[in-house]
Amino acid sequence: MTQLKLYFEDFEAGQVFELGSRTLSAERILEFAREFDPQPFHIDEAAAARSIYGRLIASGWHTGSTLMGLVAEGLLNRTTSQGSPGLEELRWTKPVYPGDELSGRCTVEQTRASRSKPDRGSVLILSELRNQHGDVCVAMRSWGIFLRRGPRATPD
């Protein structure tokens, strides 16, 4: 069965989308960090124990990528998303430790129809990744571009 796609008109300020969850293992944290962010507190448990974090933590880029994966799977892949012009804000507010269960959530903050391109509109979305204690670990504010309903919209 084909899932209905969400268009620009389906978004409104205050709307919340729950995205599901992921747990990061020490192995995944080490693998990601060795390739993309090889700082001692991400790749060396002994060095991490001596750091301000007290133990191994995930790279912020890993947690941001985890959030983006949840956003794509839990929201964007069932919309008419046409990408994004970039991030307004990205904050790493709490460290992520091996075994943390991370849940994603998107909140629509603002919508804006395009004046120059009537087939689309932009949606400002706050995406958050929270740990099992409810603490926000990563917050990302970004604009997404979505097709509008009408004859110029791309078919599913």
Side-chain angles (χ1 to χ4, degrees):
M1 174 156 67
T2 304
Q3 188 174 18
L4 295 176
K5 295 266 186 187
L6 298 175
Y7 287 81
F8 168 75
E9 292 86 355
D10 297 316
F11 293 95
E12 58 184 55
Q15 192 173 21
V16 174
F17 297 91
E18 298 295 338
L19 307 174
S21 63
R22 291 262 163 56
T23 301
L24 297 184
S25 68
E27 294 77 24
R28 297 263 335 239
I29 288 171
L30 290 165
E31 180 183 1
F32 183 97
R34 285 182 185 127
E35 184 170 358
F36 299 109
D37 192 359
Q39 296 182 70
F41 42 82
H42 297 320
I43 62 169
D44 181 329
E45 295 196 38
R50 294 187 302 273
S51 75
I52 62 172
Y53 307 107
R55 57 188 166 129
L56 190 71
I57 62 167
S59 164
W61 297 111
H62 190 179
T63 57
S65 296
T66 300
L67 175 58
M68 190 63 225
L70 289 170
V71 170
E73 291 172 5
L75 177 61
L76 297 179
N77 290 347
R78 59 188 180 97
T79 71
T80 59
S81 173
Q82 301 297 296
S84 171
L87 300 177
E88 293 288 319
E89 180 179 33
L90 177 63
R91 298 269 184 233
W92 295 299
T93 54
K94 289 272 187 187
V96 171
Y97 298 99
D100 279 355
E101 184 176 340
L102 305 170
S103 300
R105 171 186 291 171
C106 288
T107 304
V108 175
E109 294 191 328
Q110 182 181 347
T111 63
R112 182 174 62 208
S114 174
R115 284 181 251 161
S116 61
K117 295 183 172 81
D119 65 330
R120 66 195 76 167
S122 297
V123 179
L124 181 62
I125 298 174
L126 172 63
S127 303
E128 297 173 309
L129 197 61
R130 295 174 184 264
N131 64 20
Q132 65 274 14
H133 308 293
D135 300 322
V136 175
C137 299
V138 181
M140 175 177 71
R141 184 171 276 109
S142 60
W143 286 96
I145 302 167
F146 298 89
L147 293 178
R148 298 183 76 179
R149 285 191 172 82
R152 297 180 72 180
T154 305
D156 290 341

